[in-house]
Amino acid sequence: MINVAIDGPAGAGKSTIAKGAAAKLGYIYVDTGALYRTVALSAVRNGVLDDTDKIVEMLGDIKVKLGFDDDGTQCVYLNGEDVSSLIRTPEISMGASKVSAIPQVREFLLDLQRDIAKNNNVIMDGRDIATAVLPNAKPKIFLTATAECRAQRRYKELVEKGENVTYEDVLADVNQRDYQDSHREIAPLKPTDESIMADTTGMILEESVEMIINIIKENI
Ligand code: DC
């Protein structure tokens, strides 16, 4: 199976770019952030987001699953409920960053990610795909862009969805999540020695997708 890992910070365009590349190459695009977001949603619903022990306890009571439509669109289920759109809010973004620092949460989601990669050609996007989930992935791509560029993209996305946010707030969130994601003890966001760095600052989507497809074609 072809397993491509794309890691990188929040808002680097990983999901849109990886989705575009996967569609062109006929691979399944797996957005692993959705899994952490789903655990965060469950924690928020249960009022335990600030209590690590209770989050760990909650893991015993929840089922998280990924599904894929015929056109490759990923859906994520929490105890059978499709929560794919409910997890796309700033509150859940911050919550996901928080729960993702808990080792038991990462362990809880590990097999689910590996099973999909074992049985399918995938482009898997996340923070620790190359370093932890799929250490044999090839190529391993580390996608970046400046924090300002990433905040601008996310701001636009949120405004289009009707969220009431300011660019300054989004930039502060991006910086805070970068810090949390790269400084946590377990599976911090970082490139591996084999990672190919891809910087999308100033690129439009089509250019980024083309760059990623070229990297994949030259390195699988
Ligand atoms: O990619 P995203 O914004 O949907 O990710 C949400 C949070 O989940 C992010 O702050 C870090 C965490 N995450 C992670 O720790 N490991 C992954 N493989 C994917 C996401």
Side-chain angles (χ1 to χ4, degrees), residues 149-198:
C149 171
R150 290 183 284 123
Q152 190 60 49
R153 289 176 186 162
R154 188 135 287 192
Y155 171 68
K156 199 168 150 249
E157 240 173 61
L158 290 169
V159 168
E160 276 165 12
K161 263 195 266 166
E163 297 274 346
N164 188 15
V165 290
T166 66
Y167 167 74
E168 285 69 28
D169 284 346
V170 178
L171 179 61
D173 270 15
V174 163
N175 280 324
Q176 192 187 337
R177 284 217 286 153
D178 278 1
Y179 187 85
Q180 283 173 203
D181 294 347
S182 54
H183 286 79
R184 67 185 178 211
E185 257 170 53
I186 177 165
L189 169 67
K190 62 163 195 256
T192 68
D193 290 344
E194 295 166 38
S195 296
I196 298 168
M197 306 302 283

Side-chain angles (χ1 to χ4, degrees), residues 54-131:
K54 292 220 169 95
I55 292 173
V56 172
E57 214 179 291
M58 178 193 80
L59 296 175
D61 300 325
I62 62 170
K63 282 212 165 58
V64 178
K65 270 199 182 148
L66 285 182
F68 298 92
D69 290 350
D70 288 343
D71 69 350
T73 307
Q74 173 182 299
C75 295
V76 61
Y77 299 91
L78 172 62
N79 297 327
E81 175 193 356
D82 183 351
V83 295
S84 310
S85 39
L86 294 177
I87 57 173
R88 303 290 162 193
T89 67
E91 183 195 18
I92 298 298
S93 296
M94 209 43 90
S97 181
K98 206 166 190 175
V99 301
S100 68
I102 304 172
Q104 291 91 334
V105 170
R106 307 201 70 83
E107 183 65 32
F108 175 72
L109 298 172
L110 193 58
D111 286 345
L112 172 58
Q113 299 169 78
R114 286 190 176 153
D115 283 348
I116 295 170
K118 205 189 288 174
N119 300 311
N120 301 280
N121 292 332
V122 297
I123 299 184
M124 191 172 281
D125 116 28
R127 303 294 189 287
D128 64 336
I129 307 306
T131 54

Side-chain angles (χ1 to χ4, degrees), residues 24 94 130 140 163 202 219:
K24 287 209 170 142
M94 209 43 90
K140 299 175 172 71
E163 297 274 346
N219 292 281

